[in-house]
């Protein structure tokens, strides 16, 4: 079991604020790249009833995400996958996020650029 609530350096208070700022609707599709233990998607599901998909290359993190989701009765899909090879059709999501995980798309300053370039086609226009 992974004890950390979040896997990034962002505080609980900041995460709560991000959730508060989001205006999501029931069944909107949310993709989280490098989702860690899945806490963000689980909370978004609990609050907005979104359809969540999270990927992470770490078996341990995905196992913990699935354990948490099951324990909280949260229907979120978690997949062990590498961000750079995971195949997704364009326009599959209303929101795509990558929190503290841009290194999944490369190193140094290329990481942010690659992350944006690869994630934008995954969301619907206006998403
Ligand atoms: C700092 S953690 C952030 C986790 C989560 N977003 C959070 O805020 O709690 C970074 C995550 O990115 C994942 N990761 C690193 N490289 C990856 C890749 N190429 N594809 C998918 N996930 C990756 C790691 O396994 C780790 O769980």
């Amino acid at each position: 079991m992974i004890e950390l609530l979040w896997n990034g350096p962002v505080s609980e208070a900041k995460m709560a604020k991000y959730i508060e700022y989001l205006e999501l609707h029931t069944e909107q599709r949310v993709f989280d790249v490098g989702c860690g233990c899945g806490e963000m998607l689980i909370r978004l599901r609990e609050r907005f009833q979104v359809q969540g998909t999270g990927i992470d290359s770490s078996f341990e993190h995905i196992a913990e995400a699935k354990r948490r989701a099951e324990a909280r009765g949260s229907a979120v899909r978690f997949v062990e996958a590498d961000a750079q090879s995971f195949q997704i059709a364009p326009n599959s999501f209303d929101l795509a996020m990558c929190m503290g995980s841009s290194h999944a798309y490369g190193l140094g300053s290329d990481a942010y650029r690659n992350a944006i370039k690869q994630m934008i086609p995954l969301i619907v226009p206006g998403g």
Side-chain angles (χ1 to χ4, degrees), residues 88-120:
I88 310 163
N91 303 329
S92 293
F93 297 100
D94 299 290
L95 169 70
M97 57 192 180
C98 180
M99 297 175 50
S101 309
S102 59
H103 54 287
Y105 289 104
L107 295 177
S109 56
D110 281 348
Y112 288 116
R113 204 175 312 121
N114 289 343
I116 298 293
K117 203 166 138 193
Q118 292 189 44
M119 289 168 72
I120 282 182

Side-chain angles (χ1 to χ4, degrees), residues 14 18 24 35 48 59 65 81 100 102 122:
K14 210 167 221 179
Y18 289 153
L24 293 169
C35 63
F48 301 106
F59 169 82
S102 59
L122 308 181

Side-chain angles (χ1 to χ4, degrees), residues 6-8 15 34-36 55-58 61 81-83 99-101 103-104:
W6 305 99
N7 298 99
M15 287 297 193
C35 63
I55 66 165
D56 200 288
S57 56
S58 156
H61 285 92
D82 191 297
M99 297 175 50
S101 309
H103 54 287

